[in-house]
Amino acid sequence: MSNDIDKDETMSNDLNDQHTGDQHASGDIESLEFSVEYDDAGSFGEAPAQPAAGTAQDDADKAAKPAVDTDANATATSANASHVDQTMRLAKGKNASKTNAATERAYATTNHRLDRQVRDRVLLKSYPTFSLNHVTTTARKTGRHVLDDLSMAFYTGTLYAVKVLSDEDDPEQRTTLMAVMGAFMAPTSGEVMSKSSNFTELELGELRGHRLGLVPQQYAVRGDLDAEGNLLYAMNGSGRGFLKPKPVIAREMLQSVGYTEATSGKKVSELSPLDQRRVAIARALCCDAETVILDEPTKGLSESDAAELLELLRRIARSRDPKRVVIIVTSDDAVASAAQKVYDLTD
């Protein structure tokens, strides 16, 4: 047992000595100073602190770079969009300018056309240049209504035809109609109007000397006078004043209807049937008649002369200075078909 105690003491002493030695060794180590220098940081397994910091900065830069690039791309995209928008606005502006100009031209043209239509048609529809309103004429001997509640309206700028029965079928219809329209006969009832004026309210001189130009089948001209003399005869009898000398007006009017013969020195009775009709038409126009009424104007003419005369009447109707209405009273279907508008009294 004492041996065991000795062993324990001996072990305890050894441990104490070792501990004391460790303390001395520890004291010696704490007093040492170390100085370590690294020749090449890259040669060691672990990266040094500074390079690690640099790598972190690079990562930050790399993380920031996409953001910068994104901002730059956004700015460029916005600039491009703005440029495209400006280009589109300019294009639209140019197109709008062209469209506005075209619209204004179309608007002006339409206005002009509408004004002309209103002037020539709408305003005049209330008062035609010449009209018959519910006209009835009764034959005294027979009591027959030769014209029965007849209404017709005639406007300037148009060639009209009033188709009547032939003299063989009705010997009264044509002559009665011409008498009423020419103010030689008053209707039994109804009104014959020159614009807004009833024939009964106008002087015969005003009617026949200015408003109406008549070309009857007979006595349309004086055969003993020359062409110019016939027009002077009508102008002198009208009682109107003229701005030009009458002989000048007569020659100009004859020229306007295509008369090429000598205006003086040759009697009308010596002229061809077509030239006689030309003189008769010029005589009807020379006093500025607004309404020209012709009774079977192509009767007795050849087919070619009739076509030439009808073309002359169309040209007179289309003339706008002065504006006139031209009315043909005829029983000829071919003549009636040449007109722009036909009133048929044969039914």
Side-chain angles (χ1 to χ4, degrees), residues 214-277:
L214 302 177
V215 183
Q217 285 192 38
Q218 297 178 341
Y219 312 115
V221 292
R222 285 185 55 176
D224 60 326
L225 298 176
D226 56 27
E228 186 176 326
N230 266 275
L231 271 66
L232 291 174
Y233 180 80
M235 286 189 283
N236 290 332
S238 69
R240 297 184 65 243
F242 297 89
L243 297 177
K244 295 181 181 179
K246 295 175 185 176
V248 173
I249 296 175
R251 288 191 290 270
E252 289 178 351
M253 190 60 64
L254 287 167
Q255 184 179 5
S256 71
V257 298
Y259 181 78
T260 58
E261 296 290 334
T263 59
S264 61
K266 188 175 184 178
K267 294 181 180 181
V268 170
S269 58
E270 300 173 358
L271 300 175
S272 67
L274 179 58
D275 280 336
Q276 289 183 18
R277 305 293 166 86

Side-chain angles (χ1 to χ4, degrees), residues 286-306:
C286 67
C287 295
D288 293 331
E290 298 170 329
T291 303
V292 182
I293 306 172
L294 304 98
D295 182 11
E296 297 284 9
T298 62
K299 189 174 182 179
L301 296 179
S302 65
E303 185 177 347
S304 60
D305 287 350

Side-chain angles (χ1 to χ4, degrees), residues 23-45:
Q23 287 180 345
H24 290 295
S26 176
D28 295 337
I29 293 171
E30 287 177 357
S31 63
L32 292 177
E33 292 182 3
F34 294 91
S35 177
V36 181
E37 294 183 5
Y38 297 93
D39 294 334
D40 188 359
S43 61
F44 290 89

Side-chain angles (χ1 to χ4, degrees), residues 23-25 33 45 61 78 109 135 154 160 169 172 178 198 208 292 328 337 339:
Q23 287 180 345
H24 290 295
E33 292 182 3
D61 291 342
S78 176
T109 302
V135 168
F154 306 92
Y160 292 87
D169 295 331
E172 295 180 302
M178 283 297 300
N198 194 316
R208 297 177 188 162
V292 182
I328 300 173
S337 64

Side-chain angles (χ1 to χ4, degrees), residues 187-221:
T188 305
S189 63
E191 299 173 328
V192 183
M193 307 286 291
S194 175
K195 292 186 177 178
S196 61
S197 300
N198 194 316
F199 271 19
T200 59
E201 302 170 352
L202 299 172
E203 297 289 337
L204 286 178
E206 170 68 12
L207 271 173
R208 297 177 188 162
H210 175 50
R211 299 200 180 203
L212 296 177
L214 302 177
V215 183
Q217 285 192 38
Q218 297 178 341
Y219 312 115
V221 292

Side-chain angles (χ1 to χ4, degrees), residues 301-335:
L301 296 179
S302 65
E303 185 177 347
S304 60
D305 287 350
E308 190 172 346
L309 185 68
L310 290 173
E311 179 57 34
L312 170 62
L313 295 177
R314 278 192 289 266
R315 181 159 51 84
I316 293 172
R318 289 195 301 264
S319 174
R320 301 187 65 83
D321 188 21
K323 293 185 288 187
R324 296 186 176 94
V325 56
V326 180
I327 305 169
I328 300 173
V329 178
T330 183
S331 59
D332 191 326
D333 290 335
V335 174

